[in-house]
Structure formats: C-alpha cells, structure tokens
Amino acid sequence: MPTPQNIPLSPLISFVVTTYNLSADMLMECLNSIFSLSLSREEREIILIDDGSDLSPLDEMTDVRDELIYLRQPNQGLSVARNMGLRCASGKYVQFIDGDDYLIQAPYEHCLDIIRYREADMVLFYETQKKQSEVSFFYDGPVSGVAYMHQNNLRASACGYIFRRAILGSLRFTPGILHEDEEFTPQLMLRAEKVYTTKAEAYFYRKRENSIMERQDNRHTAKRLNDMIGIILHLKDLAEVAPEIDRVALGRRIAQLSMDYLYNTIRLTRSHKHLMEAIETLRKHGLFPLPDKRYTKRYFTFRRLVGNALGRRILLATIR
C-alpha cells in the first residue's frame, strides 16, 4: 500500500495547447512562454493536441519532447482537439492556448498567484496584441459566475481565463461549429462560485490573415452566421429550464449574442435582405426586438437603430 509520500500529486495546472499546420518556431514560442513561468515540472502539465497537421512538428522539437504529452488526431477541428485535451488533463486547473499565441509572463504570474492563494474557480484576464504590457496587480472578487454575468458582458474566449477543472463536469465543446467559445464559456461561468477578475493583459493573441475567423468566402460566412444562431437558440433552450437567477444571467448573454449576430450579418454580408432575414429568425424565436436594457452604451445604441428602417439603413452604411 503506497504511503502518502509515494502518492503522486496532480499538477497545479494543465495547459491544453492546440495546433494545426503551425511552424515549429511559432509553436516553440508558445511553449517557451509556459516554460518561463514559475511552475516546476511537477506543477505543470503541457498537453499538445495536433489536429491532423500535414507534418508533425515533434521532429523539430526534440529538446522539449519529454516535457509534453503529445497527441495527434485526424483533422476534426478545434472543439474536438480541446475536448481531447480535457480528456487527458489531470491538473487542478486548466488553461487553453492556441498554438500560434502565447502567455505574457509577468501578468500571467499575477493570475497564477490568485489560483495559488485564493482557491478561485475562474480567473479572468485580457487578451492583447501588444507583445509587452504593464503589470496590474489589481484583482476583484470573488463573485459567483451568475452574479458576474448579471453585471457584465462576457468575454467568451476560452483562452481568456484559468478555470478549476472540477467545475467542468460533463461540459464539453460542441464539435463542428464556429464560435464554440460563445456556447461553452457562459455554461462554464454558471458553474463557478468564486470568480476573480483582473486587468492583466496576460495572453498574446496573434491575428493571422489565413486564420479560420478571417476567411470571407460566402460558404464560410453562411456557416459562421448559422452557427451563431444555433448557439443563441441552444442558450435560449437552457435558459427556459434554468433557475430564475441563471435565466437572468443567460438572458443578458443571449441579448448580447443576438446583437452580435445582427451586427455580423451586416458586416459580413452588406445585405439588407440578409439583415431582414436574420431579424425575422430572431423574431420567430421571441428574440427580436432586442430587450430594452441598458447593458452597454453600444448595445443601447444598436438596439435603437436596428429596430427601425432608417436606423437599419444607417447601420448598413456605417458598419465595416
């Protein structure tokens, strides 16, 4: 029978890194940002999910092979890759990282201190395209995820927070859809009892012209918009059977996503016809007109404009 000294401790945090046809140099920049943190080898777990790259990057990463759990799967998309990472993760906390991005050391250390000393369920931070950022030691909390959603617009990116793996339960990403974070993050947030927010710009987001969210062809645009409305309706279904306090939180998120759906319909199609079709889709499900709330100045202004013919003409002429 093993003694307590012989029982291996779980890592503090599992980093789930996803890659698809990325250069080894770019991937190493991501991995080095993890290695540079004040985490011992025992405190960290790096799970690299290769979503069917044409060539495995591992042959060019011989120096760090022993530091990684490397899993290669047929190309099935980001949701399936992240779900595979979650299946393998053993850390107390989880951090998602896209392989073309990286962590910014000093502000991310601030977030690590919160999970070390405050027993958080989630720690929220900001993404940035600045390679260096000032370190803010501000943090606020804890509040429940429900309370946070009542008062704030959610930044849905799954790379924008650390979360306790135990709150995940059976929640996973839906395979095959775009905007999968918009569906995943609100549900995760509802499960969190101790949420801390920071001003730390801790995650460097690399905007690439050939990334999946930058494509502009008609088929891809149609899928983006169809997936968005699918997520909105799924969250609506969840809200209808949720306790009242959760229903209010999801209601705010659904209203914000409905606004984003109409905004992106304008931006991506430049079509009055498509805008009216999107409005009618929301109306059919009781989601239009948008709720008369002052969630944000932007929401309030957009709601007023999209609700009448003249305002819609203004939006079509000004949104780029």
Side-chain angles (χ1 to χ4, degrees):
M1 181 174 179
T3 65
Q5 290 83 0
N6 294 331
I7 298 173
L9 298 177
S10 297
L12 175 66
I13 183 166
S14 296
F15 296 94
V16 177
V17 181
T18 51
T19 181
Y20 172 68
N21 282 345
L22 297 177
S23 70
D25 288 344
M26 185 176 289
L27 201 49
M28 279 305 306
E29 187 173 19
C30 173
L31 297 176
N32 284 331
S33 76
I34 302 173
F35 296 141
S36 69
L37 299 171
S38 61
L39 294 165
S40 68
R41 187 167 180 173
E42 292 72 30
E43 289 179 304
R44 70 172 185 245
E45 177 179 65
I46 304 174
I47 304 169
L48 179 59
I49 309 295
D50 185 344
D51 187 35
S53 298
D54 295 337
L55 297 173
S56 169
L58 213 57
D59 291 341
E60 299 181 62
M61 301 166 61
T62 54
D63 292 345
V64 299
R65 280 184 182 180
D66 292 343
E67 302 275 353
L68 310 174
I69 299 170
Y70 175 76
L71 297 169
R72 182 174 169 85
Q73 65 178 31
N75 180 244
Q76 299 175 77
L78 183 58
S79 289
V80 176
R82 285 177 173 171
N83 288 343
M84 176 65 75
L86 289 174
R87 192 180 310 160
C88 299
S90 64
K92 185 176 181 180
Y93 291 90
V94 175
Q95 172 70 61
F96 292 114
I97 312 177
D98 293 340
D100 49 349
D101 302 332
Y102 58 82
L103 303 174
I104 303 175
Q105 182 178 6
Y108 195 81
E109 293 282 4
H110 173 50
C111 301
L112 287 177
D113 283 345
I114 296 173
I115 66 170
R116 283 179 173 127
Y117 303 117
R118 298 297 177 185
E119 287 295 309
D121 287 333
M122 295 180 73
V123 178
L124 312 184
F125 49 83
Y126 285 90
E127 299 178 352
T128 182
Q129 290 186 277
K130 297 183 293 185
K131 294 192 175 184
Q132 293 183 338
S133 63
E134 294 182 8
V135 182
S136 169
F137 293 103
F138 165 88
Y139 68 86
D140 198 10
V143 298
S144 69
V146 173
Y148 180 85
M149 289 175 67
H150 278 203
Q151 300 297 325
N152 298 276
N153 283 350
L154 200 58
R155 301 190 304 274
S157 169
C159 296
Y161 50 80
I162 308 170
F163 69 93
R164 184 188 296 271
R165 187 167 59 90
I167 71 171
L168 188 66
S170 61
L171 179 63
R172 295 294 185 271
F173 293 90
T174 298
I177 65 170
L178 302 174
H179 306 285
E180 63 281 337
D181 297 3
E182 297 285 7
E183 182 181 59
F184 177 88
T185 298
Q187 296 180 76
L188 184 67
M189 181 72 71
L190 292 178
R191 299 163 184 242
E193 293 298 327
K194 295 175 67 177
V195 176
Y196 287 85
T197 59
T198 77
K199 294 182 178 178
E201 294 182 336
Y203 185 96
F204 180 79
Y205 169 74
R206 194 189 308 271
K207 187 173 182 180
R208 296 191 297 140
E209 289 185 2
N210 62 341
S211 70
I212 191 166
M213 295 310 292
E214 295 301 315
R215 288 172 53 186
Q216 297 293 330
D217 60 272
N218 291 340
R219 179 180 295 183
H220 183 73
T221 294
K223 178 168 175 55
R224 283 188 65 177
L225 297 175
N226 287 336
D227 287 351
M228 283 189 74
I229 193 62
I231 289 167
I232 291 167
L233 296 181
H234 180 215
L235 294 178
K236 179 177 181 290
D237 289 343
L238 294 176
E240 288 175 352
V241 297
E244 175 64 20
I245 191 170
D246 289 7
R247 191 178 309 136
V248 173
L250 282 171
R252 176 172 181 149
R253 189 61 195 153
I254 290 164
Q256 187 68 45
L257 286 175
S258 296
M259 185 196 83
D260 290 345
Y261 170 60
L262 296 177
Y263 180 92
N264 281 312
T265 298
I266 296 170
R267 184 176 66 85
L268 295 171
T269 71
R270 316 296 311 154
S271 164
H272 180 268
K273 176 186 175 184
H274 284 104
L275 174 59
M276 294 309 299
E277 289 174 349
I279 286 172
E280 288 308 309
T281 298
L282 292 176
R283 194 192 305 275
K284 181 173 67 174
H285 294 281
L287 298 174
F288 191 89
L290 299 177
D292 187 8
K293 303 287 187 180
R294 291 180 177 265
Y295 292 136
T296 64
K297 184 177 180 180
R298 179 173 178 263
Y299 174 88
F300 177 72
T301 301
F302 185 91
R303 179 192 177 277
R304 293 187 65 183
L305 288 172
V306 82
N308 63 82
L310 175 59
R312 289 191 285 271
R313 287 199 294 271
I314 292 170
L315 291 171
L316 283 161
T318 57
I319 291 176
R320 293 288 183 267

